[in-house]
Amino acid sequence: MAKKVGIVAGSISRFDNPRHTLQEEMCAEAVKMILDEVPDLELGDFVKKGYACCYSYFSDILEQQQCMHWIINDYLGLSAVPCYRVESGGATPIDAIVNAALWIRSGMFPAVLVVGWEKMDELPIQKVNEAIAIAGDTDWDFVSGFTYNAFYATMEARRMHVYGETEEDLAQVSVLCHNNSLENPYAQWPAQHGFSKITIDDVYKSRLISWPYRLYECAMTSEGASALLLANEETTKKLTDNPVWISGVGFGSDTMRAGDRPDNPAWKGLYPEDEKIWPKHVPAPMSPYPDLCNFGALRVSARMAYKDAGIRNPRKEISLVEIFDPYAGVVLAGLEDFDFCKRGEGKKLLREGVIQPHGELPCQLSGALTAQGHAVGSTSVAQVVDVYWQLSNQIGKKWGAPGRQLSKPKKGFIHGHGGTGCQAGAVVLEV
Amino acid sequence: MKQPGPEKVLKEQKIDEKWWDNWIRKGGWRPEGWKIIEMNDGPTLNNLRPEKFLIVHRPHGNMFHHSYGKTSKFFMGLLEGKLYGTKCPKCGLVYCPPRAHCFNPKCRLEETKWVELSKKGEVHAHTVMAIAWPSMAHLQPLVGAMVRIDGTNTCLPMTMRDIDPEKVNIGLRVNIHIEKQPKGDLLDVYATPAEKPKAPKRTPEELKRFREDMEKTRAWVKKTFGK
Ligand SMILES: [Zn+2]
């Protein structure tokens, strides 16, 4: 099988809210950067050489436009090019990348352009929350009065109860992400709040959203666009001297409603080693993993991607990680579900500084969803671009911040998910 | 062969056509106003220039005529003050939210049977919403709980009343209630404590912060809704 899928180029049109610029214009900004970087790429090649496009955006409701990708495809001058849209809530952009990589591996297309974007400023904030929350079950989740803030908060309350995570752990994750974003010229946090470091007291002073989560521990709502040009080995080598390879992809799923997970027979016995890790002071549900503490879909997607990439020991082999963190606690849960530590020990990696920029396993170097921003369809595309720039030694050039370039990273892991972990995707990149 | 219709209306609570008629006409997409603004924009923070934008205020509204399908009995139950779930005759799993088909992979989508449920349960996980739905903002701070109704294998999310937000805990036994004038959705269901709640462990700083958060939330409600 033609297994190698290369990243030829990646780009971001920055996250902010509002941007006021139209989706198609932000997408054009991103794709223009790729064209500037790859002089041998012509938009006419897409038809001539049989390339395709895979578009990523989450909501038709946020700007009341269905089939937005038809506008984008037309605007980019790509009429006649085979294209479609991937949509799976928050997992949309990672699934678009996984999908594009599988297209290339199938041998059907030598190259695929992935473009992701979102527009989120048009509705009043309550209606934005509502538009996002109706990705939850509108008969059984949403009309209980809970938004996603509340569902993730209940899950974190359970992590605190079962694993002993603390409010300080959550605040420390938030500090890490915000301070990581300060030199990122594509990030929303510095665009809106300036370039000074924050402390845990700043997090504590931010307003309570849904206990235990405070404003700075929740994803921003953002606008922005990003793009990735993926290609098979031959085309990648023709178009760039500095390729990074997508060596593994994976995706997985879980129940629509988080409340259906504790006794779900589908999980029973799937990860017996995790089922054994359960404290005596809490009655164990029938399926102790993932319960409401962890994200089974994340585990499935990560192990699939590791297997695909031939990774045996993720903790040792992976140099940097971008976790899709709509809420701070997902970073800690993710570290566990991605096998960087045992369940319940995510907080240990945080407290020991392992995930700091100069730690053994730097995480969220972009600032991720709480600080780089969360223009849903663009989010994981941008996170993959951030890791791609690290692996191809381009942070100095792309950020104008050479100090933020890691020294010779080898492999990166990026994950995305939607809903309360209803669907997840993961990719492994390597130089 | 047989035709499935026409549908027979057995019982109805009519919507106020006048209220909706008024609203639907407001949702006309034509701008109700506009503004011209100037702001810096560009693809990166290293590359910004001033731009002018025209923004129109464009309204529209909707009403969905939604069927609860084969889970309708749960909501018909709410209208009668009863709580129903479904049970799989093969594996015995009990669902609330109900499912018309069992999701146990072993059961090959077996059709489930309706069972009446107890109005008692236990808190599986919880939160305190300082920002709730706009229509519930006057109830902030609002306790939300994933409640495992006795005898079920699932959790049903619901809000709680008559409880100090500081004291809700995982494992708390609760009584489940249905609104006296149910509207026909999940918000008709709420829980109250069935035993003395135990506050979760908090450090003195956490407790101080929590109480300040509650005070701020209540002050905002008082200022906004005047009580
Ligand atoms: Zn069954």
PDB file of all heavy atoms in Angstrom, chain B residues 1 5-6 9 14 21 25 28 30 42 76 79 98 107 119 126-127 135 150 158 197-198 216 221:
ATOM      1  N   MET B   1     -50.910  -4.377   1.030  1.00  0.00           N
ATOM      2  CA  MET B   1     -50.357  -3.074   1.442  1.00  0.00           C
ATOM      3  C   MET B   1     -51.445  -2.198   2.055  1.00  0.00           C
ATOM      4  O   MET B   1     -52.614  -2.373   1.762  1.00  0.00           O
ATOM      5  CB  MET B   1     -49.729  -2.364   0.241  1.00  0.00           C
ATOM      6  CG  MET B   1     -48.409  -2.980  -0.195  1.00  0.00           C
ATOM      7  SD  MET B   1     -47.363  -1.797  -1.049  1.00  0.00           S
ATOM      8  CE  MET B   1     -48.333  -1.512  -2.534  1.00  0.00           C
ATOM      9  N   GLY B   5     -51.422   6.656   6.899  1.00  0.00           N
ATOM     10  CA  GLY B   5     -52.190   7.797   7.396  1.00  0.00           C
ATOM     11  C   GLY B   5     -53.651   7.668   7.091  1.00  0.00           C
ATOM     12  O   GLY B   5     -54.068   6.610   6.621  1.00  0.00           O
ATOM     13  N   PRO B   6     -54.482   8.714   7.289  1.00  0.00           N
ATOM     14  CA  PRO B   6     -54.052  10.012   7.847  1.00  0.00           C
ATOM     15  C   PRO B   6     -53.852   9.936   9.364  1.00  0.00           C
ATOM     16  O   PRO B   6     -54.328   9.012   9.990  1.00  0.00           O
ATOM     17  CB  PRO B   6     -55.242  10.924   7.511  1.00  0.00           C
ATOM     18  CG  PRO B   6     -56.420  10.003   7.494  1.00  0.00           C
ATOM     19  CD  PRO B   6     -55.917   8.682   7.008  1.00  0.00           C
ATOM     20  N   VAL B   9     -55.525  13.118  15.560  1.00  0.00           N
ATOM     21  CA  VAL B   9     -55.081  13.850  16.748  1.00  0.00           C
ATOM     22  C   VAL B   9     -55.869  13.340  17.946  1.00  0.00           C
ATOM     23  O   VAL B   9     -57.097  13.434  17.969  1.00  0.00           O
ATOM     24  CB  VAL B   9     -55.292  15.374  16.575  1.00  0.00           C
ATOM     25  CG1 VAL B   9     -54.860  16.118  17.839  1.00  0.00           C
ATOM     26  CG2 VAL B   9     -54.515  15.886  15.370  1.00  0.00           C
ATOM     27  N   LYS B  14     -52.702  23.357  22.029  1.00  0.00           N
ATOM     28  CA  LYS B  14     -52.423  24.180  20.845  1.00  0.00           C
ATOM     29  C   LYS B  14     -51.416  25.276  21.142  1.00  0.00           C
ATOM     30  O   LYS B  14     -51.367  25.780  22.260  1.00  0.00           O
ATOM     31  CB  LYS B  14     -53.729  24.808  20.340  1.00  0.00           C
ATOM     32  CG  LYS B  14     -54.636  23.803  19.672  1.00  0.00           C
ATOM     33  CD  LYS B  14     -55.413  24.470  18.547  1.00  0.00           C
ATOM     34  CE  LYS B  14     -56.109  23.421  17.714  1.00  0.00           C
ATOM     35  NZ  LYS B  14     -56.175  23.672  16.330  1.00  0.00           N
ATOM     36  N   ASP B  21     -47.327  33.852  14.855  1.00  0.00           N
ATOM     37  CA  ASP B  21     -47.508  34.594  13.623  1.00  0.00           C
ATOM     38  C   ASP B  21     -46.719  35.899  13.663  1.00  0.00           C
ATOM     39  O   ASP B  21     -46.020  36.261  12.722  1.00  0.00           O
ATOM     40  CB  ASP B  21     -49.002  34.892  13.442  1.00  0.00           C
ATOM     41  CG  ASP B  21     -49.333  35.067  11.972  1.00  0.00           C
ATOM     42  OD1 ASP B  21     -48.836  34.249  11.175  1.00  0.00           O
ATOM     43  OD2 ASP B  21     -50.053  36.018  11.638  1.00  0.00           O
ATOM     44  N   ARG B  25     -43.135  36.621  11.323  1.00  0.00           N
ATOM     45  CA  ARG B  25     -43.017  37.763  10.414  1.00  0.00           C
ATOM     46  C   ARG B  25     -41.814  38.646  10.746  1.00  0.00           C
ATOM     47  O   ARG B  25     -41.331  39.377   9.911  1.00  0.00           O
ATOM     48  CB  ARG B  25     -44.307  38.581  10.424  1.00  0.00           C
ATOM     49  CG  ARG B  25     -45.314  38.022   9.459  1.00  0.00           C
ATOM     50  CD  ARG B  25     -46.688  38.617   9.615  1.00  0.00           C
ATOM     51  NE  ARG B  25     -47.703  37.578   9.585  1.00  0.00           N
ATOM     52  CZ  ARG B  25     -47.982  36.841   8.514  1.00  0.00           C
ATOM     53  NH1 ARG B  25     -47.351  37.029   7.384  1.00  0.00           N
ATOM     54  NH2 ARG B  25     -48.913  35.913   8.575  1.00  0.00           N
ATOM     55  N   GLY B  28     -37.622  37.865   9.015  1.00  0.00           N
ATOM     56  CA  GLY B  28     -37.720  38.015   7.571  1.00  0.00           C
ATOM     57  C   GLY B  28     -36.420  38.167   6.815  1.00  0.00           C
ATOM     58  O   GLY B  28     -36.442  38.420   5.627  1.00  0.00           O
ATOM     59  N   ARG B  30     -34.599  40.484   6.224  1.00  0.00           N
ATOM     60  CA  ARG B  30     -34.238  41.854   5.819  1.00  0.00           C
ATOM     61  C   ARG B  30     -33.585  42.564   6.999  1.00  0.00           C
ATOM     62  O   ARG B  30     -34.057  42.458   8.122  1.00  0.00           O
ATOM     63  CB  ARG B  30     -35.488  42.652   5.407  1.00  0.00           C
ATOM     64  CG  ARG B  30     -36.286  42.070   4.242  1.00  0.00           C
ATOM     65  CD  ARG B  30     -35.536  42.072   2.916  1.00  0.00           C
ATOM     66  NE  ARG B  30     -34.957  43.335   2.527  1.00  0.00           N
ATOM     67  CZ  ARG B  30     -35.604  44.304   1.876  1.00  0.00           C
ATOM     68  NH1 ARG B  30     -36.880  44.172   1.580  1.00  0.00           N
ATOM     69  NH2 ARG B  30     -34.980  45.408   1.522  1.00  0.00           N
ATOM     70  N   GLY B  42      -5.880  40.949   9.126  1.00  0.00           N
ATOM     71  CA  GLY B  42      -4.827  40.338   8.328  1.00  0.00           C
ATOM     72  C   GLY B  42      -4.608  38.938   8.827  1.00  0.00           C
ATOM     73  O   GLY B  42      -5.087  38.589   9.901  1.00  0.00           O
ATOM     74  N   MET B  76     -45.226  11.400  27.244  1.00  0.00           N
ATOM     75  CA  MET B  76     -46.645  11.272  27.602  1.00  0.00           C
ATOM     76  C   MET B  76     -46.731  10.971  29.097  1.00  0.00           C
ATOM     77  O   MET B  76     -47.622  11.457  29.783  1.00  0.00           O
ATOM     78  CB  MET B  76     -47.307  10.170  26.777  1.00  0.00           C
ATOM     79  CG  MET B  76     -47.410  10.529  25.300  1.00  0.00           C
ATOM     80  SD  MET B  76     -48.437   9.356  24.369  1.00  0.00           S
ATOM     81  CE  MET B  76     -47.245   8.249  23.707  1.00  0.00           C
ATOM     82  N   LEU B  79     -46.524  14.076  31.164  1.00  0.00           N
ATOM     83  CA  LEU B  79     -47.796  14.808  31.183  1.00  0.00           C
ATOM     84  C   LEU B  79     -48.731  14.235  32.244  1.00  0.00           C
ATOM     85  O   LEU B  79     -49.623  14.926  32.723  1.00  0.00           O
ATOM     86  CB  LEU B  79     -48.455  14.781  29.798  1.00  0.00           C
ATOM     87  CG  LEU B  79     -47.648  15.425  28.649  1.00  0.00           C
ATOM     88  CD1 LEU B  79     -48.385  15.283  27.317  1.00  0.00           C
ATOM     89  CD2 LEU B  79     -47.337  16.905  28.904  1.00  0.00           C
ATOM     90  N   PRO B  98     -34.812   6.563  27.441  1.00  0.00           N
ATOM     91  CA  PRO B  98     -35.223   5.284  26.859  1.00  0.00           C
ATOM     92  C   PRO B  98     -34.721   5.121  25.425  1.00  0.00           C
ATOM     93  O   PRO B  98     -34.454   6.102  24.739  1.00  0.00           O
ATOM     94  CB  PRO B  98     -36.747   5.379  26.878  1.00  0.00           C
ATOM     95  CG  PRO B  98     -37.060   6.828  26.900  1.00  0.00           C
ATOM     96  CD  PRO B  98     -35.929   7.520  27.572  1.00  0.00           C
ATOM     97  N   CYS B 107     -27.307  -7.869  21.645  1.00  0.00           N
ATOM     98  CA  CYS B 107     -28.773  -7.996  21.520  1.00  0.00           C
ATOM     99  C   CYS B 107     -29.318  -7.745  20.122  1.00  0.00           C
ATOM    100  O   CYS B 107     -30.533  -7.791  19.916  1.00  0.00           O
ATOM    101  CB  CYS B 107     -29.467  -7.094  22.534  1.00  0.00           C
ATOM    102  SG  CYS B 107     -29.125  -7.602  24.229  1.00  0.00           S
ATOM    103  N   LYS B 119     -39.097   7.063  41.420  1.00  0.00           N
ATOM    104  CA  LYS B 119     -38.705   8.475  41.372  1.00  0.00           C
ATOM    105  C   LYS B 119     -37.571   8.746  42.347  1.00  0.00           C
ATOM    106  O   LYS B 119     -37.497   9.812  42.964  1.00  0.00           O
ATOM    107  CB  LYS B 119     -39.914   9.361  41.632  1.00  0.00           C
ATOM    108  CG  LYS B 119     -40.863   9.368  40.433  1.00  0.00           C
ATOM    109  CD  LYS B 119     -41.971  10.358  40.613  1.00  0.00           C
ATOM    110  CE  LYS B 119     -42.966  10.263  39.467  1.00  0.00           C
ATOM    111  NZ  LYS B 119     -44.221  10.911  39.801  1.00  0.00           N
ATOM    112  N   HIS B 126     -21.862  16.022  38.922  1.00  0.00           N
ATOM    113  CA  HIS B 126     -22.637  17.251  39.125  1.00  0.00           C
ATOM    114  C   HIS B 126     -21.823  18.493  38.761  1.00  0.00           C
ATOM    115  O   HIS B 126     -20.609  18.436  38.598  1.00  0.00           O
ATOM    116  CB  HIS B 126     -23.069  17.362  40.589  1.00  0.00           C
ATOM    117  CG  HIS B 126     -21.892  17.412  41.524  1.00  0.00           C
ATOM    118  ND1 HIS B 126     -21.299  18.579  41.917  1.00  0.00           N
ATOM    119  CD2 HIS B 126     -21.192  16.410  42.101  1.00  0.00           C
ATOM    120  CE1 HIS B 126     -20.277  18.299  42.702  1.00  0.00           C
ATOM    121  NE2 HIS B 126     -20.185  16.999  42.838  1.00  0.00           N
ATOM    122  N   THR B 127     -22.532  19.614  38.635  1.00  0.00           N
ATOM    123  CA  THR B 127     -21.889  20.900  38.387  1.00  0.00           C
ATOM    124  C   THR B 127     -22.773  21.991  38.979  1.00  0.00           C
ATOM    125  O   THR B 127     -23.890  21.709  39.421  1.00  0.00           O
ATOM    126  CB  THR B 127     -21.678  21.131  36.872  1.00  0.00           C
ATOM    127  OG1 THR B 127     -21.024  22.394  36.680  1.00  0.00           O
ATOM    128  CG2 THR B 127     -22.998  21.155  36.105  1.00  0.00           C
ATOM    129  N   SER B 135     -33.111  31.229  29.335  1.00  0.00           N
ATOM    130  CA  SER B 135     -34.449  31.152  29.934  1.00  0.00           C
ATOM    131  C   SER B 135     -34.408  30.685  31.389  1.00  0.00           C
ATOM    132  O   SER B 135     -35.415  30.710  32.082  1.00  0.00           O
ATOM    133  CB  SER B 135     -35.340  30.217  29.115  1.00  0.00           C
ATOM    134  OG  SER B 135     -34.787  28.918  29.132  1.00  0.00           O
ATOM    135  N   ASP B 150     -32.902   4.935  40.051  1.00  0.00           N
ATOM    136  CA  ASP B 150     -32.790   3.580  40.596  1.00  0.00           C
ATOM    137  C   ASP B 150     -33.264   2.546  39.580  1.00  0.00           C
ATOM    138  O   ASP B 150     -34.328   2.701  38.967  1.00  0.00           O
ATOM    139  CB  ASP B 150     -33.620   3.449  41.882  1.00  0.00           C
ATOM    140  CG  ASP B 150     -32.934   4.166  43.050  1.00  0.00           C
ATOM    141  OD1 ASP B 150     -31.828   4.717  42.837  1.00  0.00           O
ATOM    142  OD2 ASP B 150     -33.511   4.185  44.154  1.00  0.00           O
ATOM    143  N   MET B 158     -30.290  16.436  34.802  1.00  0.00           N
ATOM    144  CA  MET B 158     -31.413  17.282  35.257  1.00  0.00           C
ATOM    145  C   MET B 158     -30.895  18.342  36.229  1.00  0.00           C
ATOM    146  O   MET B 158     -29.787  18.224  36.757  1.00  0.00           O
ATOM    147  CB  MET B 158     -32.509  16.424  35.896  1.00  0.00           C
ATOM    148  CG  MET B 158     -32.097  15.678  37.128  1.00  0.00           C
ATOM    149  SD  MET B 158     -33.416  14.561  37.716  1.00  0.00           S
ATOM    150  CE  MET B 158     -33.308  13.203  36.565  1.00  0.00           C
ATOM    151  N   PRO B 197     -27.122  16.350  52.310  1.00  0.00           N
ATOM    152  CA  PRO B 197     -25.970  16.311  51.407  1.00  0.00           C
ATOM    153  C   PRO B 197     -24.658  16.501  52.168  1.00  0.00           C
ATOM    154  O   PRO B 197     -24.629  17.180  53.193  1.00  0.00           O
ATOM    155  CB  PRO B 197     -26.205  17.492  50.457  1.00  0.00           C
ATOM    156  CG  PRO B 197     -27.543  18.040  50.785  1.00  0.00           C
ATOM    157  CD  PRO B 197     -27.903  17.585  52.153  1.00  0.00           C
ATOM    158  N   LYS B 198     -23.597  15.867  51.640  1.00  0.00           N
ATOM    159  CA  LYS B 198     -22.264  16.050  52.213  1.00  0.00           C
ATOM    160  C   LYS B 198     -21.471  16.905  51.231  1.00  0.00           C
ATOM    161  O   LYS B 198     -21.391  16.577  50.055  1.00  0.00           O
ATOM    162  CB  LYS B 198     -21.547  14.706  52.372  1.00  0.00           C
ATOM    163  CG  LYS B 198     -22.266  13.737  53.304  1.00  0.00           C
ATOM    164  CD  LYS B 198     -21.577  12.386  53.331  1.00  0.00           C
ATOM    165  CE  LYS B 198     -21.889  11.508  52.135  1.00  0.00           C
ATOM    166  NZ  LYS B 198     -23.142  10.791  52.137  1.00  0.00           N
ATOM    167  N   LYS B 216     -21.413  36.443  43.765  1.00  0.00           N
ATOM    168  CA  LYS B 216     -21.378  37.243  42.536  1.00  0.00           C
ATOM    169  C   LYS B 216     -22.525  36.836  41.613  1.00  0.00           C
ATOM    170  O   LYS B 216     -23.180  37.677  41.000  1.00  0.00           O
ATOM    171  CB  LYS B 216     -20.049  37.015  41.795  1.00  0.00           C
ATOM    172  CG  LYS B 216     -18.913  37.895  42.276  1.00  0.00           C
ATOM    173  CD  LYS B 216     -17.696  37.692  41.389  1.00  0.00           C
ATOM    174  CE  LYS B 216     -16.429  37.803  42.216  1.00  0.00           C
ATOM    175  NZ  LYS B 216     -15.273  37.155  41.602  1.00  0.00           N
ATOM    176  N   VAL B 221     -27.975  38.076  39.364  1.00  0.00           N
ATOM    177  CA  VAL B 221     -29.387  37.699  39.175  1.00  0.00           C
ATOM    178  C   VAL B 221     -30.290  38.771  39.781  1.00  0.00           C
ATOM    179  O   VAL B 221     -31.276  39.199  39.181  1.00  0.00           O
ATOM    180  CB  VAL B 221     -29.675  36.309  39.800  1.00  0.00           C
ATOM    181  CG1 VAL B 221     -31.175  36.032  39.871  1.00  0.00           C
ATOM    182  CG2 VAL B 221     -28.978  35.218  39.001  1.00  0.00           C
TER     183      VAL B 221
END
